[in-house]
Amino acid sequence: MTTIAVLGNGRVGGNLATALTRAGHEVTAVGRTPGAAAAAARTARIVINATPGTGSLERFVALREELRGKILIDVSNATVDGPDGLPGDLIHPDSSLAEQLQETLPGTHVVKTLNTMLFPVMTAPAALAQAPDAFLSGDHPQAKQAVRELLVDLGWREEWITDLGGIRTARATEAAILFVPHVIRSSGFAPFAISIAR
């Protein structure tokens, strides 16, 4: 059992909080209530960024002390909205949100994962017709191992989890969000994940 704070209680955060609670973890999910994020982060071992990527950096910089020594799982993608509200251009085209978080939070172990799929797949990967991939990016092997174990608790098989390497590799998975609006416009809002065929 791990103490987890999910920051962001929309579709992504709510889905993750429910599934992790069902898996036996002690989970606190918070939205924008003043002081709630700091209180939740202070008592958690693992914090999940399920906030909109456009404002994530500012929100988490404000929690620098509360996040010191913690694992921060970043599942967000930082994009500007397109004209139809779907993801548009990347906010950090020559970097990534995860890299920016790690740089500004040097005392925190940032791990990027679960950002290459629609949110229902995060907690129900076996529901897809083909095996999906979950990618890990991060500079801290022990933090990535802890996140890998959480993914298994969410229904991810070990062979579906690929460690891409350091946090710099997150710029590749974050760029994959550029596929998403085109797939949705073409095929509708059906669950899917970007995977590597082997």
Side-chain angles (χ1 to χ4, degrees), residues 54-91:
T54 49
S56 289
L57 194 55
E58 294 76 14
R59 289 187 189 97
F60 284 86
V61 167
L63 300 173
R64 181 182 279 110
E65 291 307 313
E66 289 84 358
L67 292 169
R68 191 176 302 279
K70 309 291 178 70
I71 297 170
L72 174 59
I73 302 176
D74 179 28
V75 304
S76 292
N77 287 300
T79 62
V80 296
D81 286 343
D84 55 2
L86 293 174
D89 292 334
L90 299 173
I91 291 176

Side-chain angles (χ1 to χ4, degrees), residues 60-179:
F60 284 86
V61 167
L63 300 173
R64 181 182 279 110
E65 291 307 313
E66 289 84 358
L67 292 169
R68 191 176 302 279
K70 309 291 178 70
I71 297 170
L72 174 59
I73 302 176
D74 179 28
V75 304
S76 292
N77 287 300
T79 62
V80 296
D81 286 343
D84 55 2
L86 293 174
D89 292 334
L90 299 173
I91 291 176
H92 307 289
D94 298 318
S95 180
S96 66
L97 174 59
E99 289 175 88
Q100 298 295 311
L101 287 167
Q102 186 62 86
E103 182 178 337
T104 56
L105 301 169
T108 303
H109 305 319
V110 178
V111 180
K112 189 82 181 189
T113 193
L114 296 180
N115 64 307
T116 55
M117 61 200 69
L118 291 191
F119 77 91
V121 181
M122 295 177 176
T123 58
L128 295 182
Q130 288 87 32
D133 283 298
F135 303 103
L136 297 173
S137 298
D139 293 336
H140 308 276
Q142 291 179 326
K144 285 194 286 188
Q145 179 57 35
V147 175
R148 181 183 290 271
E149 291 168 7
L150 280 188
L151 292 180
V152 171
D153 287 345
L154 290 174
W156 290 85
R157 297 181 187 173
E158 284 282 357
E159 62 268 25
W160 296 350
I161 304 170
T162 301
D163 186 342
L164 295 179
I167 199 66
R168 193 175 190 275
T169 64
R171 64 181 62 184
T173 61
E174 288 192 26
I177 189 66
L178 299 177
F179 277 99

